Coordinates of all heavy atoms in Angstrom, one line a residue:
M16 N -1.1 11.7 79.9 CA -0.1 10.6 79.8 C 0.8 10.9 78.6 O 0.4 11.4 77.6 CB -0.8 9.3 79.6 CG -1.7 8.8 80.7 SD -1.3 7.3 81.4 CE -2.4 6.2 80.5
K17 N 2.1 10.6 78.8 CA 3.0 10.7 77.8 C 3.7 9.4 77.5 O 4.0 8.7 78.4 CB 4.1 11.8 78.1 CG 3.5 13.2 78.2 CD 4.6 14.2 78.4 CE 4.1 15.6 78.3 NZ 5.1 16.6 78.4
N18 N 4.0 9.1 76.2 CA 4.6 7.9 75.8 C 6.0 8.2 75.4 O 6.3 9.2 74.7 CB 3.9 7.2 74.7 CG 2.5 6.7 75.2 OD1 2.4 6.2 76.2 ND2 1.5 6.9 74.3
Y19 N 7.0 7.4 75.9 CA 8.4 7.5 75.5 C 8.9 6.1 75.1 O 8.4 5.1 75.5 CB 9.2 8.0 76.7 CG 8.8 9.4 77.2 CD1 7.9 9.5 78.2 CD2 9.3 10.5 76.6 CE1 7.6 10.7 78.7 CE2 8.9 11.8 77.1 CZ 8.1 11.9 78.2 OH 7.7 13.1 78.6
T20 N 9.9 6.1 74.2 CA 10.7 4.9 73.9 C 12.1 5.1 74.4 O 12.7 6.1 74.0 CB 10.7 4.7 72.4 OG1 9.3 4.5 71.9 CG2 11.4 3.4 72.0
I21 N 12.5 4.2 75.3 CA 13.9 4.3 75.8 C 14.7 3.1 75.5 O 14.1 2.0 75.3 CB 13.9 4.6 77.3 CG1 13.2 3.5 78.1 CG2 13.2 5.9 77.6 CD1 13.3 3.6 79.6
T22 N 16.0 3.2 75.5 CA 16.8 2.0 75.3 C 17.8 1.9 76.5 O 18.4 2.9 76.9 CB 17.7 2.2 74.0 OG1 16.8 2.4 72.9 CG2 18.5 1.0 73.7
V23 N 17.8 0.7 77.1 CA 18.6 0.4 78.3 C 19.4 -0.8 78.0 O 18.9 -1.9 77.7 CB 17.7 0.2 79.5 CG1 18.6 -0.1 80.7 CG2 16.9 1.4 79.8
N24 N 20.7 -0.6 77.9 CA 21.6 -1.8 77.6 C 21.2 -2.5 76.4 O 21.2 -3.7 76.3 CB 21.7 -2.7 78.8 CG 22.4 -2.1 80.0 OD1 23.2 -1.2 79.9 ND2 22.0 -2.5 81.2
G25 N 20.8 -1.8 75.3 CA 20.4 -2.5 74.1 C 19.0 -3.0 74.0 O 18.6 -3.4 73.0
S26 N 18.3 -2.9 75.1 CA 16.9 -3.4 75.1 C 16.0 -2.1 75.0 O 16.2 -1.1 75.7 CB 16.5 -4.1 76.4 OG 17.3 -5.3 76.5
V27 N 15.0 -2.2 74.1 CA 14.1 -1.1 73.8 C 12.8 -1.3 74.6 O 12.2 -2.4 74.6 CB 13.8 -1.0 72.3 CG1 12.8 0.1 72.0 CG2 15.1 -0.8 71.5
Y28 N 12.4 -0.2 75.3 CA 11.1 -0.3 76.1 C 10.2 0.9 75.7 O 10.7 2.0 75.5 CB 11.5 -0.1 77.6 CG 12.3 -1.3 78.1 CD1 13.7 -1.2 78.2 CD2 11.7 -2.4 78.6 CE1 14.5 -2.2 78.6 CE2 12.5 -3.5 79.1 CZ 13.9 -3.3 79.1 OH 14.6 -4.3 79.6
D29 N 8.9 0.6 75.6 CA 7.9 1.7 75.5 C 7.5 2.0 76.9 O 7.1 1.1 77.6 CB 6.8 1.3 74.6 CG 7.1 1.2 73.2 OD1 8.0 2.0 72.8 OD2 6.4 0.5 72.4
V30 N 7.6 3.3 77.3 CA 7.2 3.7 78.7 C 6.1 4.7 78.6 O 6.1 5.7 77.8 CB 8.4 4.3 79.4 CG1 8.1 4.8 80.8 CG2 9.6 3.4 79.4
T31 N 5.1 4.5 79.4 CA 4.0 5.5 79.6 C 4.1 6.1 80.9 O 4.2 5.4 81.9 CB 2.6 4.8 79.4 OG1 2.6 4.1 78.1 CG2 1.5 5.8 79.5
V32 N 4.1 7.5 81.0 CA 4.2 8.2 82.2 C 2.9 9.0 82.4 O 2.5 9.7 81.5 CB 5.4 9.2 82.2 CG1 5.5 10.0 83.5 CG2 6.7 8.4 81.9
E33 N 2.3 8.8 83.5 CA 1.0 9.5 83.8 C 1.3 10.7 84.6 O 2.0 10.6 85.6 CB 0.1 8.5 84.6 CG -1.2 9.1 84.9 CD -2.1 8.2 85.7 OE1 -1.8 7.0 85.8 OE2 -3.1 8.6 86.2
E34 N 0.8 11.8 84.2 CA 1.0 13.1 84.9 C -0.2 13.3 85.7 O -1.4 13.2 85.3 CB 1.2 14.2 83.9 CG 2.5 14.1 83.1 CD 2.7 15.2 82.1 OE1 1.9 16.2 82.1 OE2 3.7 15.2 81.4
K35 N 0.0 13.7 87.0 CA -1.1 14.0 87.9 C -1.1 15.4 88.3 O 0.0 16.0 88.5 CB -1.1 13.0 89.1 CG -1.3 11.6 88.7 CD -1.4 10.7 90.0 CE -1.6 9.3 89.5 NZ -2.1 8.5 90.6
G36 N -2.2 16.0 88.6 CA -2.2 17.4 89.1 C -1.9 18.4 88.0 O -2.3 18.3 86.9
A37 N -1.0 19.3 88.4 CA -0.7 20.4 87.5 C 0.4 20.1 86.5 O 1.3 20.9 86.2 CB -0.4 21.7 88.3
G38 N 0.5 18.8 86.1 CA 1.5 18.4 85.1 C 2.7 17.9 85.7 O 3.7 17.6 85.0
A39 N 2.8 17.9 87.0 CA 4.0 17.4 87.7 C 3.7 16.1 88.5 O 2.7 16.1 89.1 CB 4.6 18.4 88.6
A40 N 4.6 15.2 88.5 CA 4.3 14.0 89.3 C 4.7 14.3 90.7 O 5.6 15.1 91.0 CB 5.2 12.9 88.8
P41 N 4.0 13.7 91.7 CA 4.3 13.9 93.1 C 5.7 13.4 93.4 O 6.2 12.5 92.7 CB 3.2 13.1 93.8 CG 2.5 12.3 92.8 CD 2.8 12.8 91.5
A42 N 6.3 13.9 94.4 CA 7.6 13.5 94.8 C 7.7 12.0 95.1 O 6.8 11.5 95.8 CB 8.1 14.3 96.1
G43 N 8.7 11.3 94.6 CA 8.9 9.9 94.8 C 8.1 9.0 93.9 O 8.2 7.8 93.9
A44 N 7.3 9.6 93.0 CA 6.6 8.8 92.0 C 7.5 8.3 90.9 O 8.5 9.0 90.5 CB 5.5 9.7 91.4
A45 N 7.3 7.1 90.5 CA 8.2 6.6 89.4 C 7.3 6.3 88.2 O 6.1 5.9 88.3 CB 8.8 5.3 89.9
P46 N 7.9 6.3 87.0 CA 7.1 6.0 85.8 C 6.8 4.5 85.8 O 7.5 3.7 86.3 CB 8.0 6.4 84.6 CG 9.4 6.5 85.2 CD 9.2 6.8 86.7
V47 N 5.7 4.2 85.1 CA 5.3 2.8 85.0 C 5.7 2.3 83.6 O 5.3 2.9 82.6 CB 3.8 2.6 85.2 CG1 3.4 1.2 85.0 CG2 3.4 3.1 86.6
A48 N 6.5 1.2 83.6 CA 7.0 0.8 82.3 C 6.1 -0.3 81.7 O 5.6 -1.2 82.4 CB 8.4 0.2 82.4
A49 N 5.9 -0.3 80.4 CA 5.1 -1.3 79.7 C 6.0 -2.5 79.5 O 7.2 -2.5 79.8 CB 4.6 -0.7 78.4
A50 N 5.5 -3.5 78.9 CA 6.3 -4.7 78.6 C 7.4 -4.4 77.6 O 7.2 -3.5 76.8 CB 5.3 -5.8 78.0
P51 N 8.5 -5.0 77.7 CA 9.6 -4.8 76.8 C 9.2 -5.0 75.3 O 8.4 -5.9 75.0 CB 10.7 -5.8 77.2 CG 10.4 -6.2 78.5 CD 8.9 -6.1 78.7
V52 N 9.7 -4.2 74.5 CA 9.4 -4.3 73.0 C 10.7 -4.7 72.4 O 11.8 -4.1 72.6 CB 8.9 -2.9 72.5 CG1 8.7 -3.0 71.0 CG2 7.7 -2.5 73.2
A53 N 10.6 -5.7 71.5 CA 11.8 -6.2 70.8 C 12.4 -5.1 69.9 O 11.7 -4.4 69.2 CB 11.5 -7.4 70.0
A54 N 13.7 -4.9 70.0 CA 14.4 -3.9 69.1 C 14.4 -4.4 67.7 O 14.5 -5.6 67.4 CB 15.8 -3.7 69.6
P55 N 14.1 -3.5 66.8 CA 14.1 -3.9 65.4 C 15.5 -4.4 65.0 O 16.5 -3.8 65.4 CB 13.8 -2.7 64.6 CG 14.0 -1.5 65.5 CD 13.9 -2.1 66.9
K56 N 15.6 -5.4 64.2 CA 16.8 -6.0 63.7 C 17.1 -5.5 62.3 O 16.2 -5.4 61.5 CB 16.8 -7.5 63.7 CG 16.8 -8.1 65.1 CD 17.0 -9.6 65.1 CE 17.2 -10.2 66.4 NZ 17.6 -11.6 66.4
A57 N 18.4 -5.3 62.0 CA 18.8 -4.8 60.7 C 18.6 -5.9 59.7 O 18.2 -5.7 58.6 CB 20.2 -4.3 60.8
A58 N 19.0 -7.1 60.1 CA 18.9 -8.3 59.2 C 18.8 -9.5 60.0 O 19.2 -9.6 61.2 CB 20.2 -8.4 58.4
P59 N 18.2 -10.6 59.5 CA 18.0 -11.8 60.3 C 19.4 -12.4 60.5 O 20.3 -12.2 59.8 CB 17.2 -12.7 59.4 CG 17.2 -12.1 58.0 CD 17.5 -10.6 58.2
A60 N 19.5 -13.2 61.6 CA 20.8 -13.8 62.0 C 21.1 -14.8 60.9 O 20.3 -15.6 60.4 CB 20.6 -14.6 63.3
P61 N 22.4 -14.8 60.5 CA 22.8 -15.7 59.4 C 22.8 -17.2 59.9 O 23.1 -17.4 61.1 CB 24.2 -15.3 59.1 CG 24.7 -14.5 60.3 CD 23.5 -13.9 60.9
K62 N 22.3 -18.0 59.1 CA 22.2 -19.4 59.5 C 22.9 -20.3 58.4 O 22.7 -20.1 57.3 CB 20.7 -19.9 59.6 CG 19.9 -19.3 60.7 CD 18.6 -19.8 60.7 CE 17.8 -19.2 61.8 NZ 16.4 -19.7 62.0
A63 N 23.9 -21.1 58.9 CA 24.6 -21.9 58.0 C 23.9 -23.3 58.1 O 24.0 -24.0 59.1 CB 26.0 -22.1 58.4
V64 N 23.1 -23.6 57.1 CA 22.3 -24.9 57.2 C 22.8 -25.8 56.1 O 22.9 -25.5 55.0 CB 20.8 -24.5 57.0 CG1 20.0 -25.8 57.0 CG2 20.3 -23.6 58.0
A65 N 23.1 -27.0 56.6 CA 23.5 -28.1 55.7 C 22.5 -29.2 55.9 O 22.8 -30.4 56.0 CB 24.9 -28.6 55.9
G66 N 21.2 -28.9 56.0 CA 20.2 -29.8 56.3 C 20.1 -29.9 57.8 O 21.0 -30.3 58.5
A67 N 19.0 -29.4 58.4 CA 18.8 -29.4 59.8 C 19.0 -30.8 60.4 O 18.4 -31.8 59.9 CB 17.4 -28.8 60.2
G68 N 19.7 -30.9 61.5 CA 20.0 -32.1 62.1 C 18.8 -32.5 63.1 O 18.0 -31.7 63.4
S69 N 18.9 -33.7 63.6 CA 17.9 -34.2 64.5 C 18.2 -34.0 66.0 O 17.4 -34.2 66.8 CB 17.6 -35.7 64.2 OG 18.8 -36.5 64.4
I70 N 19.5 -33.7 66.3 CA 19.9 -33.5 67.6 C 20.1 -32.0 67.9 O 20.8 -31.3 67.2 CB 21.3 -34.2 67.9 CG1 21.2 -35.7 67.5 CG2 21.7 -34.0 69.3 CD1 22.5 -36.4 67.4
E71 N 19.3 -31.5 68.8 CA 19.3 -30.1 69.1 C 20.4 -29.7 70.2 O 20.5 -30.4 71.2 CB 17.9 -29.6 69.6 CG 16.9 -29.7 68.5 CD 15.5 -29.2 69.0 OE1 15.2 -29.3 70.2 OE2 14.7 -28.8 68.1
V72 N 21.1 -28.7 70.0 CA 22.0 -28.1 71.0 C 21.4 -26.9 71.5 O 21.2 -25.9 70.8 CB 23.4 -27.8 70.3 CG1 24.3 -27.2 71.4 CG2 24.0 -29.0 69.7
K73 N 20.9 -26.9 72.8 CA 20.1 -25.9 73.4 C 20.9 -25.1 74.5 O 21.7 -25.7 75.2 CB 18.9 -26.4 74.1 CG 17.9 -27.1 73.1 CD 16.7 -27.6 73.8 CE 15.7 -28.2 72.8 NZ 14.5 -28.6 73.5
A74 N 20.6 -23.8 74.6 CA 21.2 -23.0 75.6 C 20.7 -23.3 77.0 O 19.5 -23.6 77.2 CB 20.9 -21.5 75.3
G75 N 21.6 -23.4 77.9 CA 21.2 -23.7 79.3 C 20.8 -22.5 80.1 O 20.2 -22.6 81.2
A76 N 21.2 -21.3 79.6 CA 20.9 -20.0 80.3 C 20.6 -19.0 79.2 O 21.0 -19.1 78.1 CB 22.0 -19.7 81.2
A77 N 19.9 -17.9 79.7 CA 19.7 -16.8 78.8 C 21.0 -15.9 78.8 O 21.7 -15.9 79.7 CB 18.5 -15.9 79.3
G78 N 21.2 -15.3 77.7 CA 22.4 -14.4 77.5 C 22.6 -14.0 76.1 O 21.7 -13.9 75.4
K79 N 23.9 -13.7 75.8 CA 24.2 -13.3 74.4 C 25.2 -14.3 73.8 O 26.1 -14.8 74.6 CB 24.8 -11.9 74.4 CG 23.8 -10.8 74.5 CD 24.4 -9.5 74.1 CE 23.3 -8.5 74.2 NZ 23.8 -7.2 73.7
V80 N 25.1 -14.6 72.6 CA 26.1 -15.5 71.9 C 27.4 -14.7 71.9 O 27.5 -13.6 71.3 CB 25.6 -15.9 70.5 CG1 26.7 -16.7 69.8 CG2 24.3 -16.6 70.6
F81 N 28.4 -15.3 72.5 CA 29.7 -14.7 72.6 C 30.7 -15.2 71.5 O 31.4 -14.4 70.9 CB 30.3 -15.0 73.9 CG 31.7 -14.4 74.2 CD1 31.9 -13.0 74.4 CD2 32.8 -15.2 74.2 CE1 33.1 -12.5 74.6 CE2 34.1 -14.7 74.4 CZ 34.2 -13.3 74.6
K82 N 30.6 -16.5 71.2 CA 31.5 -17.1 70.2 C 30.9 -18.4 69.6 O 30.3 -19.1 70.4 CB 32.9 -17.4 70.9 CG 33.9 -17.9 69.9 CD 35.2 -18.0 70.7 CE 36.4 -18.4 69.8 NZ 37.6 -18.7 70.6
I83 N 31.1 -18.6 68.4 CA 30.7 -19.9 67.7 C 32.0 -20.7 67.7 O 33.0 -20.3 67.0 CB 30.1 -19.6 66.3 CG1 29.0 -18.6 66.3 CG2 29.7 -21.0 65.7 CD1 27.8 -19.0 67.0
E84 N 32.0 -21.9 68.3 CA 33.2 -22.7 68.4 C 33.2 -23.8 67.3 O 34.3 -24.3 67.0 CB 33.2 -23.5 69.7 CG 33.5 -22.6 70.9 CD 35.0 -22.2 71.0 OE1 35.8 -23.0 70.7 OE2 35.2 -21.0 71.5
A85 N 32.1 -24.2 66.7 CA 32.1 -25.2 65.7 C 31.5 -24.7 64.4 O 30.8 -23.7 64.4 CB 31.2 -26.4 66.2
N86 N 31.8 -25.4 63.3 CA 31.4 -25.0 62.0 C 30.5 -26.1 61.4 O 30.6 -27.3 61.8 CB 32.6 -24.8 61.0 CG 33.5 -23.7 61.5 OD1 33.0 -22.6 61.8 ND2 34.8 -24.0 61.5
V87 N 29.6 -25.7 60.5 CA 28.8 -26.7 59.8 C 29.7 -27.7 59.1 O 30.6 -27.4 58.5 CB 27.8 -26.0 58.8 CG1 27.1 -27.1 58.0 CG2 26.9 -25.1 59.5
G88 N 29.3 -29.0 59.3 CA 30.1 -30.1 58.7 C 31.2 -30.6 59.7 O 31.8 -31.7 59.4
Q89 N 31.5 -29.9 60.7 CA 32.5 -30.3 61.7 C 32.0 -31.5 62.5 O 30.9 -31.5 63.0 CB 32.9 -29.2 62.5 CG 34.0 -29.5 63.6 CD 34.4 -28.2 64.4 OE1 34.2 -27.1 64.0 NE2 34.9 -28.5 65.6
S90 N 32.9 -32.5 62.8 CA 32.5 -33.6 63.7 C 32.8 -33.2 65.1 O 33.9 -32.6 65.4 CB 33.4 -34.8 63.3 OG 33.1 -35.9 64.1
V91 N 31.9 -33.4 66.0 CA 32.1 -33.1 67.4 C 31.8 -34.3 68.3 O 31.0 -35.2 67.9 CB 31.1 -31.9 67.9 CG1 31.5 -30.6 67.2 CG2 29.7 -32.2 67.6
K92 N 32.4 -34.4 69.4 CA 32.2 -35.4 70.4 C 31.3 -34.9 71.5 O 31.3 -33.7 71.7 CB 33.6 -35.9 71.0 CG 34.6 -36.4 70.0 CD 34.2 -37.8 69.7 CE 35.3 -38.4 68.7 NZ 34.8 -39.6 68.1
K93 N 30.7 -35.8 72.2 CA 29.9 -35.4 73.4 C 30.7 -34.6 74.3 O 31.8 -35.0 74.7 CB 29.4 -36.7 74.1 CG 28.5 -36.4 75.3 CD 28.0 -37.6 75.9 CE 27.1 -37.3 77.1 NZ 26.5 -38.5 77.7
G94 N 30.2 -33.4 74.7 CA 30.9 -32.5 75.6 C 31.8 -31.5 75.0 O 32.3 -30.6 75.6
D95 N 32.0 -31.6 73.6 CA 32.7 -30.5 72.9 C 31.9 -29.3 72.9 O 30.7 -29.3 72.6 CB 33.1 -31.0 71.5 CG 34.2 -32.0 71.4 OD1 34.8 -32.3 72.4 OD2 34.4 -32.5 70.3
P96 N 32.6 -28.1 73.1 CA 31.8 -26.8 73.0 C 31.4 -26.5 71.6 O 32.2 -26.7 70.6 CB 32.8 -25.8 73.5 CG 34.2 -26.4 73.4 CD 34.0 -27.9 73.4
V97 N 30.2 -26.1 71.4 CA 29.7 -25.7 70.1 C 29.5 -24.2 70.0 O 29.9 -23.6 69.0 CB 28.3 -26.5 69.8 CG1 27.7 -26.0 68.4 CG2 28.5 -28.0 69.8
V98 N 28.9 -23.6 71.0 CA 28.7 -22.2 71.1 C 29.1 -21.8 72.5 O 28.9 -22.5 73.5 CB 27.2 -21.9 70.9 CG1 26.9 -20.4 71.1 CG2 26.8 -22.3 69.5
I99 N 29.6 -20.5 72.7 CA 29.9 -19.9 74.0 C 28.9 -18.8 74.2 O 28.8 -17.9 73.3 CB 31.3 -19.4 74.1 CG1 32.4 -20.4 73.7 CG2 31.6 -18.8 75.5 CD1 32.5 -21.5 74.7
I100 N 28.2 -18.8 75.3 CA 27.3 -17.7 75.6 C 27.8 -16.9 76.7 O 28.5 -17.4 77.6 CB 25.8 -18.1 75.8 CG1 25.7 -19.1 77.0 CG2 25.2 -18.8 74.6 CD1 24.3 -19.4 77.4
E101 N 27.5 -15.6 76.8 CA 27.9 -14.8 77.9 C 26.6 -14.4 78.7 O 25.6 -14.0 78.1 CB 28.5 -13.5 77.3 CG 29.0 -12.5 78.4 CD 29.5 -11.2 77.9 OE1 29.1 -10.8 76.8 OE2 30.4 -10.7 78.6
A102 N 26.7 -14.8 80.0 CA 25.6 -14.5 80.9 C 26.1 -14.0 82.2 O 27.0 -14.7 82.8 CB 24.7 -15.7 81.1
M103 N 25.7 -12.9 82.7 CA 26.1 -12.3 83.9 C 27.6 -12.2 84.0 O 28.3 -12.6 85.0 CB 25.6 -13.1 85.1 CG 24.0 -13.1 85.1 SD 23.2 -14.0 86.4 CE 24.4 -14.8 87.4
K104 N 28.2 -11.8 82.9 CA 29.7 -11.5 82.8 C 30.5 -12.8 82.9 O 31.7 -12.8 83.2 CB 30.1 -10.5 83.8 CG 29.5 -9.1 83.6 CD 30.1 -8.1 84.4 CE 29.3 -6.8 84.1 NZ 30.0 -5.6 84.5
M105 N 29.9 -14.0 82.6 CA 30.6 -15.2 82.6 C 30.4 -15.8 81.2 O 29.4 -15.7 80.5 CB 30.0 -16.2 83.6 CG 30.2 -15.8 85.0 SD 29.6 -17.0 86.2 CE 28.0 -17.4 85.7
E106 N 31.5 -16.5 80.7 CA 31.4 -17.2 79.5 C 31.0 -18.7 79.8 O 31.6 -19.4 80.5 CB 32.7 -17.2 78.8 CG 33.1 -15.8 78.3 CD 34.5 -15.7 77.7 OE1 35.0 -16.8 77.3 OE2 35.0 -14.6 77.6
I107 N 29.9 -19.1 79.2 CA 29.3 -20.4 79.5 C 29.3 -21.3 78.2 O 28.6 -20.9 77.2 CB 27.9 -20.3 80.0 CG1 27.9 -19.5 81.3 CG2 27.3 -21.7 80.3 CD1 26.5 -19.0 81.7
P108 N 30.0 -22.4 78.2 CA 30.0 -23.2 76.9 C 28.7 -24.0 76.8 O 28.2 -24.5 77.8 CB 31.2 -24.2 77.1 CG 31.5 -24.2 78.6 CD 31.0 -22.9 79.2
V109 N 28.2 -24.0 75.6 CA 27.1 -24.9 75.3 C 27.7 -26.1 74.5 O 28.2 -25.9 73.4 CB 26.0 -24.1 74.5 CG1 24.8 -25.1 74.1 CG2 25.5 -22.9 75.2
V110 N 27.6 -27.3 75.1 CA 28.3 -28.4 74.5 C 27.4 -29.4 73.8 O 26.2 -29.4 73.9 CB 29.0 -29.2 75.7 CG1 30.0 -28.3 76.4 CG2 28.0 -29.7 76.7
A111 N 28.0 -30.2 72.9 CA 27.3 -31.2 72.2 C 26.7 -32.2 73.1 O 27.5 -32.8 74.0 CB 28.2 -31.8 71.1
P112 N 25.4 -32.6 73.0 CA 24.9 -33.5 74.0 C 25.3 -35.0 73.6 O 25.2 -35.9 74.5 CB 23.4 -33.4 73.8 CG 23.2 -32.7 72.4 CD 24.4 -31.9 72.2
E113 N 25.8 -35.2 72.4 CA 26.2 -36.5 72.0 C 27.1 -36.3 70.8 O 27.2 -35.3 70.2 CB 25.1 -37.5 71.7 CG 24.1 -37.0 70.7 CD 22.9 -37.9 70.6 OE1 22.0 -37.8 71.5 OE2 22.9 -38.8 69.7
D114 N 27.8 -37.4 70.4 CA 28.7 -37.4 69.2 C 27.9 -37.1 68.0 O 26.7 -37.5 67.9 CB 29.4 -38.7 69.0 CG 30.4 -39.0 70.1 OD1 30.6 -38.2 71.0 OD2 31.0 -40.1 70.1
G115 N 28.4 -36.4 67.0 CA 27.7 -36.1 65.8 C 28.5 -35.1 64.9 O 29.6 -34.8 65.1
T116 N 27.8 -34.7 63.8 CA 28.3 -33.7 62.9 C 27.4 -32.5 62.9 O 26.2 -32.7 62.9 CB 28.3 -34.3 61.4 OG1 29.1 -35.5 61.5 CG2 28.9 -33.3 60.5
V117 N 28.0 -31.3 63.0 CA 27.2 -30.1 63.0 C 26.4 -29.9 61.7 O 27.0 -29.9 60.7 CB 28.1 -28.9 63.3 CG1 27.3 -27.6 63.3 CG2 28.9 -29.0 64.6
A118 N 25.1 -29.9 61.8 CA 24.2 -29.8 60.7 C 23.9 -28.3 60.4 O 23.7 -27.9 59.3 CB 23.0 -30.6 60.8
S119 N 23.7 -27.5 61.5 CA 23.3 -26.1 61.4 C 23.8 -25.4 62.6 O 23.8 -25.9 63.7 CB 21.8 -25.9 61.1 OG 21.1 -26.3 62.3
I120 N 24.1 -24.1 62.4 CA 24.3 -23.1 63.4 C 23.2 -22.1 63.3 O 23.0 -21.5 62.3 CB 25.7 -22.4 63.3 CG1 26.8 -23.4 63.3 CG2 25.9 -21.4 64.4 CD1 27.1 -24.1 64.6
D121 N 22.3 -22.1 64.4 CA 21.1 -21.3 64.3 C 21.2 -20.0 65.1 O 20.1 -19.5 65.5 CB 19.9 -22.2 64.8 CG 19.8 -23.4 64.0 OD1 19.8 -23.3 62.7 OD2 19.6 -24.5 64.5
A122 N 22.4 -19.5 65.4 CA 22.5 -18.2 66.1 C 23.8 -17.6 65.6 O 24.6 -18.2 64.9 CB 22.6 -18.5 67.6
A123 N 23.9 -16.3 65.8 CA 25.0 -15.5 65.4 C 25.6 -14.8 66.6 O 24.9 -14.5 67.5 CB 24.7 -14.5 64.3
V124 N 26.9 -14.5 66.5 CA 27.6 -13.8 67.6 C 26.8 -12.4 67.8 O 26.5 -11.7 66.9 CB 29.1 -13.5 67.2 CG1 29.7 -12.6 68.2 CG2 29.8 -14.8 67.1
G125 N 26.5 -12.2 69.1 CA 25.8 -11.0 69.5 C 24.3 -11.2 69.7 O 23.7 -10.3 70.2
D126 N 23.8 -12.3 69.2 CA 22.3 -12.5 69.4 C 22.0 -12.7 70.8 O 22.7 -13.4 71.6 CB 21.9 -13.8 68.6 CG 21.8 -13.7 67.1 OD1 22.0 -12.5 66.6 OD2 21.5 -14.7 66.5
A127 N 20.9 -12.1 71.2 CA 20.3 -12.3 72.6 C 19.5 -13.6 72.5 O 18.7 -13.7 71.6 CB 19.5 -11.1 73.0
I128 N 19.7 -14.5 73.5 CA 19.0 -15.8 73.4 C 18.4 -16.1 74.8 O 18.8 -15.6 75.8 CB 20.0 -16.9 73.0 CG1 21.3 -16.9 73.8 CG2 20.3 -16.8 71.5 CD1 21.5 -18.1 74.6
E129 N 17.4 -16.9 74.7 CA 16.7 -17.3 76.0 C 17.2 -18.7 76.4 O 17.6 -19.4 75.5 CB 15.2 -17.3 75.7 CG 14.5 -16.0 75.4 CD 14.6 -15.0 76.6 OE1 14.5 -15.4 77.7 OE2 14.8 -13.8 76.3
A130 N 17.0 -19.0 77.6 CA 17.3 -20.4 78.1 C 16.4 -21.4 77.3 O 15.3 -21.1 77.1 CB 17.0 -20.5 79.6
G131 N 17.0 -22.4 76.8 CA 16.3 -23.4 76.0 C 16.3 -23.2 74.6 O 15.8 -24.0 73.8
A132 N 16.8 -22.1 74.1 CA 16.8 -21.8 72.7 C 17.7 -22.7 71.9 O 18.8 -23.1 72.4 CB 17.3 -20.3 72.4
V133 N 17.3 -23.2 70.7 CA 18.1 -24.1 69.9 C 19.2 -23.2 69.2 O 18.9 -22.3 68.5 CB 17.3 -24.8 68.9 CG1 18.2 -25.7 68.0 CG2 16.2 -25.7 69.6
L134 N 20.5 -23.5 69.5 CA 21.6 -22.8 69.0 C 22.2 -23.4 67.8 O 22.8 -22.8 66.9 CB 22.6 -22.5 70.0 CG 22.2 -21.8 71.3 CD1 23.3 -21.7 72.3 CD2 21.6 -20.4 70.9
A135 N 22.1 -24.8 67.7 CA 22.7 -25.6 66.6 C 22.0 -26.9 66.6 O 21.3 -27.3 67.5 CB 24.2 -25.7 66.8
T136 N 22.2 -27.6 65.5 CA 21.7 -29.0 65.4 C 22.8 -29.9 64.9 O 23.7 -29.4 64.2 CB 20.5 -29.1 64.4 OG1 20.9 -28.7 63.1 CG2 19.3 -28.3 64.9
L137 N 22.7 -31.2 65.3 CA 23.7 -32.2 64.9 C 23.0 -33.3 64.2 O 21.8 -33.6 64.4 CB 24.4 -32.7 66.1 CG 25.1 -31.8 67.1 CD1 25.6 -32.5 68.3 CD2 26.2 -31.0 66.5
N138 N 23.8 -34.0 63.4 CA 23.3 -35.3 62.8 C 24.0 -36.4 63.5 O 25.0 -36.3 64.0 CB 23.6 -35.3 61.3 CG 22.7 -34.5 60.5 OD1 21.5 -34.3 60.8 ND2 23.2 -33.9 59.4

């Protein structure tokens, strides 16, 4: 068995390939990939915190943070975009669930995020 680390579209994977017979895989055989391994980060995502708020602004889909629309301390109305995420080549606004003031931005442009991740908080 041989272990390799590969990167596909920015995601790092550890792959183990099993060799059978005289060191060659049979025709049509494919390597078996292990679970994805998180890529090491150079530095933690910057967080602008002015006291974490009680209202969470959560991502509706997995993707990457494309743009931050609001700043800490900014007043927002229900439905105002706070963060824009990119998923499947579409820009999806993540909006304020209610009126408030942005207390923290908990993601940075370029961050990969999961559905339901808290991207910001409001007071």
